[in-house]
Amino acid sequence: MLCATSRLLAARAAAASPAQPRARGPAPRCRRRELHFPGHPKLPLCGFLAGRLARLSVPTGRRAILRRGRMPPVVGGGSELRLRKGRCGPQVARALGPDVAAEAAARSPKRPAWGLRRFEAAGWWVSLALVTLLSFATRFHRLDEPRHVCWDETHFGKMGSYYINRTFFFDVHPPLGKMLIGLAGYLSGYDGTFMFQRPGDKYEQHNYMGMRRFCASLGSLLIPFAYLIVLELSKSLPAALLTAALLTFDTGCLTLSQYILLDPILMFFIMAAMLSMVKYNTISDLWHLFGDLSLSLVTMGKHLTARILCLIVLPLALYTATYAVHFMVLNKSGPGDGFFSSAFQARLAGNNLHNASIPEHLAYGSVITVKNLRMAIGYLHSHRHLYPEGIGARQQQVTTYLHKDYNNLWIIKKHNTNSDPLDPSFPVEFVRHGDIIRLEHKETSRNLHSHYHEAPLTRKHYQVTGYGINGTGDSNDFWRIEVVNRKFGNRIKVLRSRIRFIHLVTGCVLGSSGKILPKWGWEQVEVTCTPYLKETLNSIWNVEEGLSEVLLRGGGQLLLGWVLHYFPFFLMGRVLYFHHYFPAMLFSSMLTGVLWDTLLRLCAWSLASFSLASSIHVLGVLSLVLGTAYSFYLFHPLAYGMVGPLAQDPRSPMAGLRWLESWDF
């Protein structure tokens, strides 16, 4: 660049002075590639700079931007130069004289001092430290209060106990957060013996603080994460501080961080992922690499492969690994057994299928349970209660039930005999694919029955009931048992065979709609006989166990983040609660910090000079931060607990803070 600058200045000097004869012999050459300016001499850099700076009468003009290739001669104008250390410095000083050299040095711009840059960086880190300290202080204040089970601690504290006791359970959430809660309790000395039955139960001597501290720690880290994200996106310390204040002094965010809940864990990983994204811009970098035509296909393939491995394969492997750990830890029978297949239950210690001595094939006379293969449907079930008036035939109810119960037991019999299959004079006879059978309810001695009456909830499906006395009924009690994708005559394997029950008279298939019956049906799941013969999990069952002689076995990014965390809830068909909004609120707070910082800068610059505008901007941000802090001072009892009379009492310190009629403390 110095070589190019010397050529350009040489051209300007030649235009401002009489032409000199070109000296013979080779011109001095710079070490770097030279840029040739046609019609102008090549001069040594040091000599030219000395001569050029001596001609201070040449007016200063605009800068010239040099590019590779040939450039037209420069017409007029000059360029300010600053003196630099090196071999040229003494020659330039001698040529100019002491007074002129001092003037030129005074006019030259100075490079920012390293000390100033270090001071700015130190200011960012000090601010981060203060933000983190304040975040932990607000989240850990009065963390032990209340000393009883609060809100959803009933669920997630109980699940932590399940992990400590290695008791299997079922839940809709992925396992990582609950495993971490259990791990925190285990490491802090909690023994998993507290029942977590209902909100308000006293913890007494049980060590619950380890799990609360863990959740509070992750909730506290949300604020420094938000600070770093906004600082990275906006490069504005005021915007980052404003965002940190909004989240630090938010009573809702604080409250969620002080209890044994999944919310702080969920939001921690959301913010950690967002921080990683804005720090490394991986996808954005790949997009720019695609536009770089100088890269070979091999290099592009390496970049693409690295991102596939790190952004797709590795996360999937980690996600799958959490489930592997979940199933390895929870190896004892528990309340979640009924949600899973019979074969899976056989692996759980304490389950009646675990290590049971059970024959491989199903035989007549077996006392069995019949489980639907669809998740969360459960076992074929009946009880002595009848269908109410106006709901099909007034006969015994048949439902499905998720939990183990004596009313789940059925005896499998031949359709045309009432002989006792346990009589030792009769040989053991196995049930085969295509056999016509009856299923007799063990507790009530009524047969599984169907007819053309409509099902209670599902239109065009037939009602399923319990019918008959002591096993004696009619032809509507007959069912053909079929094994999915098997040939006629094959034996039916316990646990492993996927079977269907075809009603012999109507031709319908026994199944479950998955719909919950009203209170008259004890809010159990509807069983129907569907005339649609398509194979679905709702109509496929497996035989699970037997109890007789024959047993069985078994910025834009922030807005996009807000949109992605807010609008999907409009598509959900479930009841939504206030805490569902908090992931979106994190992005809303970060977006608010960036937006207010930008608006204040624009307003300040449009109204005042630079020095005054800077003061107005700082004052505006400071006012927002202090206003947020004062609001927290007023409403902090909502997070830490109220004292004195109830909020509705005029003597309560909260009485004057009900600014809107819709508010309810």
Side-chain angles (χ1 to χ4, degrees):
M1 180 58 73
L2 288 176
C3 298
T5 305
S6 67
R7 301 297 180 265
L8 177 60
L9 295 179
R12 295 183 176 179
S17 59
Q20 301 293 331
R22 179 174 297 179
R24 294 184 178 179
R29 300 183 62 85
C30 292
R31 294 181 181 178
R32 296 180 179 243
R33 180 179 178 181
E34 298 183 85
L35 300 179
H36 300 280
F37 299 90
H40 297 281
K42 300 178 180 177
L43 299 178
L45 174 62
C46 298
F48 168 71
L49 291 178
R52 175 65 184 87
L53 292 176
R55 300 181 178 89
L56 297 178
S57 59
V58 178
T60 302
R62 64 182 181 274
R63 296 179 181 177
I65 300 177
L66 301 180
R67 299 182 183 272
R68 285 189 178 183
R70 298 174 61 85
M71 295 183 63
V74 178
V75 181
S79 178
E80 292 189 9
L81 297 177
R82 51 192 170 97
L83 299 179
R84 299 182 64 179
K85 293 182 180 181
R87 294 180 297 172
C88 300
Q91 300 181 36
V92 174
R94 287 195 297 271
L96 296 177
D99 297 333
V100 179
E103 179 184 354
R107 293 195 306 160
S108 65
K110 294 184 178 180
R111 179 177 295 178
W114 282 107
L116 179 60
R117 293 183 180 178
R118 290 176 180 174
F119 179 77
E120 291 177 352
W124 289 357
W125 286 107
V126 169
S127 299
L128 175 60
L130 293 176
V131 163
T132 305
L133 181 63
L134 185 60
S135 174
F136 273 85
T138 54
R139 270 64 184 165
F140 275 76
H141 178 61
R142 299 187 65 183
L143 185 62
D144 59 334
E145 295 291 340
R147 300 176 186 272
H148 58 73
V149 178
C150 221
W151 192 32
D152 274 0
E153 284 187 329
T154 306
H155 305 298
F156 303 118
K158 183 184 297 181
M159 293 172 187
S161 297
Y162 284 148
Y163 279 106
I164 293 174
N165 296 317
R166 308 191 71 174
T167 302
F168 188 79
F169 69 97
F170 174 77
D171 185 57
V172 295
H173 303 96
L176 178 59
K178 296 165 292 187
M179 282 197 294
L180 292 176
I181 289 175
L183 179 62
Y186 175 78
L187 294 178
S188 61
Y190 170 59
D191 58 6
T193 57
F194 187 70
M195 298 302 294
F196 287 96
Q197 287 186 338
R198 63 185 65 85
D201 288 352
K202 299 290 185 181
Y203 283 117
E204 297 177 346
Q205 80 279 4
H206 296 278
N207 186 2
Y208 64 99
M209 282 299 294
M211 292 182 284
R212 279 194 181 176
R213 288 192 191 102
F214 170 72
C215 293
S217 298
L218 297 192
S220 301
L221 290 174
L222 298 178
I223 287 84
F225 280 1
Y227 170 94
L228 292 172
I229 291 170
V230 172
L231 191 63
E232 184 69 27
L233 291 176
S234 68
K235 307 299 182 185
S236 170
L237 181 60
L241 290 174
L242 179 56
T243 297
L246 291 173
L247 291 176
T248 300
F249 300 125
D250 185 274
T251 55
C253 188
L254 188 154
T255 302
L256 280 184
S257 301
Q258 287 199 311
Y259 298 98
I260 306 171
L261 304 173
L262 289 185
D263 300 83
I265 305 174
L266 168 68
M267 293 190 288
F268 169 83
F269 283 108
I270 289 174
M271 295 295 280
M274 183 66 185
L275 179 60
S276 301
M277 187 183 76
V278 301
K279 279 287 187 182
Y280 300 106
N281 298 308
T282 307
I283 301 299
S284 176
D285 289 343
L286 185 62
W287 176 256
H288 290 296
L289 290 173
F290 277 131
D292 189 349
L293 300 181
S294 64
L295 295 178
S296 67
L297 290 178
V298 175
T299 303
M300 278 304 307
K302 291 179 180 179
H303 281 286
L304 184 60
T305 302
R307 284 158 176 81
I308 290 175
L309 290 175
C310 295
L311 297 180
I312 300 177
V313 177
L314 180 60
L316 285 176
L318 292 175
Y319 184 75
T320 306
T322 61
Y323 279 94
V325 174
H326 171 82
F327 289 115
M328 284 183 0
V329 171
L330 303 183
N331 62 353
K332 297 180 181 179
S333 179
D337 293 13
F339 289 90
F340 289 82
S341 69
S342 309
F344 176 81
Q345 294 182 45
R347 304 175 184 176
L348 299 175
N351 189 284
N352 56 352
L353 298 178
H354 181 68
N355 290 336
S357 177
I358 302 174
E360 183 177 7
H361 297 100
L362 178 65
Y364 285 106
S366 301
V367 179
I368 63 174
T369 57
V370 182
K371 189 175 186 303
N372 193 277
L373 291 192
R374 183 178 172 184
M375 179 73 73
I377 293 295
Y379 300 93
L380 188 65
H381 176 96
S382 187
H383 40 239
R384 296 187 184 276
H385 300 278
L386 306 181
Y387 286 100
E389 290 286 351
I391 306 295
R394 188 166 169 76
Q395 297 175 5
Q396 184 168 299
Q397 296 177 15
V398 173
T399 64
T400 59
Y401 186 53
L402 277 172
H403 305 285
K404 298 291 182 71
D405 188 270
Y406 282 113
N407 282 324
N408 298 344
L409 301 178
W410 301 82
I411 303 172
I412 186 166
K413 294 185 175 182
K414 290 187 175 183
H415 73 288
N416 56 358
T417 180
N418 271 327
S419 60
D420 185 4
L422 299 183
D423 189 332
S425 62
F426 290 94
V428 173
E429 187 173 356
F430 293 104
V431 181
R432 299 178 183 273
H433 173 65
D435 282 2
I436 309 300
I437 65 164
R438 285 187 297 115
L439 284 177
E440 181 182 315
H441 190 242
K442 186 175 187 298
E443 294 298 307
T444 63
S445 298
R446 297 186 187 274
N447 296 326
L448 185 70
H449 178 96
S450 186
H451 42 224
Y452 287 106
H453 292 276
E454 192 170 71
L457 302 180
T458 306
R459 297 187 59 189
K460 298 184 179 180
H461 285 211
Y462 301 140
Q463 184 186 34
V464 176
T465 68
Y467 179 75
I469 299 175
N470 295 325
T472 301
D474 59 24
S475 60
N476 281 328
D477 303 339
F478 299 161
W479 302 82
R480 184 172 67 252
I481 187 168
E482 293 184 354
V483 181
V484 177
N485 298 327
R486 287 292 187 273
K487 296 180 180 179
F488 282 87
N490 285 0
R491 293 180 181 181
I492 294 176
K493 295 183 178 180
V494 177
L495 297 181
R496 289 183 290 174
S497 290
R498 297 156 57 95
I499 60 177
R500 299 200 307 167
F501 297 96
I502 311 296
H503 192 246
L504 206 61
V505 174
T506 64
C508 61
V509 182
L510 182 70
S512 175
S513 65
K515 298 177 181 178
I516 305 299
L517 293 170
K519 289 186 177 180
W520 57 256
W522 302 92
E523 297 182 341
Q524 296 175 3
V525 183
E526 180 191 38
V527 169
T528 69
C529 199
T530 172
Y532 308 107
L533 301 183
K534 181 180 179 181
E535 291 181 2
T536 65
L537 290 181
N538 297 60
S539 60
I540 298 178
W541 310 75
N542 74 282
V543 175
E544 182 175 281
E545 62 177 334
L547 304 174
S548 56
E549 187 179 57
V550 181
L551 299 174
L552 313 175
R553 110 175 178 189
Q557 299 181 48
L558 299 177
L559 179 61
L560 178 62
W562 178 82
V563 168
L564 292 177
H565 287 83
Y566 181 75
F567 284 103
F569 285 105
F570 284 97
L571 305 178
M572 296 181 64
R574 57 161 293 178
V575 176
L576 299 179
Y577 297 96
F578 185 52
H579 69 98
H580 287 128
Y581 177 68
F582 276 88
M585 187 274 295
L586 294 176
F587 288 91
S588 175
S589 298
M590 292 187 287
L591 184 60
T592 300
V594 173
L595 183 62
W596 271 109
D597 176 68
T598 304
L599 291 177
L600 287 171
R601 288 181 189 275
L602 292 175
C603 294
W605 291 346
S606 64
L607 296 176
S609 62
F610 175 78
S611 58
L612 185 57
S614 179
S615 301
I616 294 175
H617 170 249
V618 172
L619 182 62
V621 173
L622 186 61
S623 300
L624 290 172
V625 171
L626 293 178
T628 305
Y630 181 66
S631 173
F632 176 73
Y633 168 75
L634 293 177
F635 292 98
H636 74 274
L638 296 178
Y640 296 128
M642 305 181 211
V643 295
L646 296 177
Q648 293 81 3
D649 194 316
R651 296 171 297 169
S652 170
M654 302 298 296
L657 297 177
R658 193 165 176 264
W659 296 346
L660 297 177
E661 289 295 327
S662 59
W663 288 6
D664 183 16
F665 295 150

